[in-house]
Amino acid sequence: MLKNKMFLTPVQLPKCFKSILYCFMWCLFVPVMVFTPIIKADVFQPSMVIIIDDLGYNLANGLRVVNLPGPITLAVMPHTPHGALLARKGAAADKQIMLHVPMQNHAGLKLGPGGLTLDMDETQFKQVLRANVASVPYAEGLNNHMGSALTEQALPMKWTMDVANELNLFFVDSRTSAASIAWQQAIDQAVPALTRDVFLDNDTDIEALEMQFQRAITIANKHGFAVLIGHPYPATAAFLSKSLSRLDEAGIKLVSASALIWQLQPHFNAL
């Protein structure tokens, strides 16, 4: 009799306990059933980020970029005549907005308003950078405009990432210098970050644009993703308007900068 009683006890659970146990088991299995195929698709489909820099000075050129199809990422210059308007229109068109922050370069080219230079102390540097971010509505990240000199230096890059962390921004290294340490500094300070693979339009001749676009496609297919940076030239906007559909044909997904960052986050965590 005792044996039978011991056998029956686990089966005759209180109803409330069985309900809790059932819910617990369901919570374990549903995420596996629902999300596993999506995760696999995201991992194996190559992705491309297209960032258009230098927005804010020319309204007509900027609007051509805003009106491009898909999740193009817009990098807007601070304190420019049309930057805030283009940022708002871009956000309304489901484009991701970034601050395109002017940084000191080796050529001594003028930076315009909001420029960050090597002679600034930490307080001034961070104040200028915060004001730059505030001038661009909906900014979720930042990348460097020029900056071949500044991105090679550890201290200003540390200050940049301090502000990025403070304001919850991601960072994209435009790689205007082969000696840039900006991306590594971002990773060291746990700032979500990408680095540029290809410049699209250093030459706006159609054959040159085609070559650089194809180069980005090749990198995406080989490595799983590519970051392509262009500018709001009429020739660039016209080329992208005709060519973006080719990404689907090549099996490449056009994504925003932050979408690619989230896709790569497990790899960043391992660094």
Side-chain angles (χ1 to χ4, degrees):
M1 188 67 181
L2 180 59
K3 183 177 180 181
N4 290 338
K5 195 171 184 178
M6 291 174 66
F7 177 78
L8 292 173
T9 299
V11 177
Q12 296 175 343
L13 295 171
K15 287 185 178 181
C16 62
F17 183 82
K18 286 194 287 185
S19 297
I20 293 170
L21 182 61
Y22 179 80
C23 290
F24 176 73
M25 296 297 291
W26 185 248
C27 288
L28 286 176
F29 283 105
V30 167
V32 174
M33 292 186 292
V34 173
F35 292 111
T36 298
I38 297 173
I39 291 170
K40 286 182 178 178
D42 284 347
V43 167
F44 290 109
Q45 183 176 11
S47 300
M48 186 181 295
V49 174
I50 299 178
I51 300 170
I52 303 298
D53 282 351
D54 294 356
L55 293 164
Y57 284 105
N58 187 300
L59 182 58
N61 288 354
L63 289 174
R64 288 190 189 98
V65 173
V66 169
N67 291 327
L68 287 171
I72 302 291
T73 300
L74 310 183
V76 180
M77 301 284 290
H79 313 293
T80 50
H82 308 292
L85 175 62
L86 288 170
R88 292 189 183 96
K89 285 187 174 293
D94 294 324
K95 303 292 194 285
Q96 184 159 66
I97 309 302
M98 298 173 56
L99 166 69
H100 191 45
V101 57
M103 295 185 181
Q104 185 170 332
N105 56 84
H106 286 304
L109 298 173
K110 291 183 179 180
L111 301 181
L116 299 175
T117 60
L118 290 168
D119 60 359
M120 290 178 171
D121 63 24
E122 180 177 1
T123 299
Q124 183 184 13
F125 188 100
K126 291 182 176 181
Q127 284 176 344
V128 171
L129 184 51
R130 291 187 192 103
N132 287 348
V133 175
S135 76
V136 177
Y138 303 103
E140 299 178 61
L142 68 157
N143 70 334
N144 52 295
H145 172 64
M146 298 190 283
S148 55
L150 203 77
T151 58
E152 294 177 353
Q153 301 301 316
L155 198 54
M157 288 302 96
K158 178 186 181 302
W159 297 340
T160 300
M161 304 315 158
D162 286 344
V163 174
N165 270 325
E166 173 191 322
L167 301 179
N168 196 30
L169 303 172
F170 63 83
F171 179 81
V172 178
D173 185 357
S174 301
R175 292 287 294 174
T176 55
S177 166
S180 172
I181 62 168
W183 180 83
Q184 188 59 57
Q185 188 65 43
I187 297 303
D188 290 347
Q189 292 183 236
V191 174
L194 298 171
T195 186
R196 187 263 313 160
D197 295 300
V198 178
F199 276 126
L200 175 62
D201 51 7
N202 286 340
D203 182 346
T204 57
D205 183 81
I206 186 66
E207 288 80 10
L209 292 170
E210 176 60 36
M211 182 176 68
Q212 293 300 91
F213 192 69
Q214 188 57 52
R215 183 181 169 205
I217 288 175
T218 300
I219 291 171
N221 280 323
K222 182 177 181 180
H223 298 290
F225 64 93
V227 178
L228 178 65
I229 292 182
H231 301 84
Y233 308 136
T236 300
F239 176 83
L240 288 175
S241 182
K242 294 178 181 178
S243 302
L244 286 174
S245 61
R246 290 164 48 198
L247 295 180
D248 279 338
E249 296 166 8
I252 295 172
K253 184 179 181 181
L254 179 64
V255 298
S256 67
S258 65
L260 179 59
I261 285 170
W262 283 113
Q263 182 179 323
L264 298 176
Q265 196 63 46
H267 303 283
F268 294 146
N269 292 340
L271 293 176

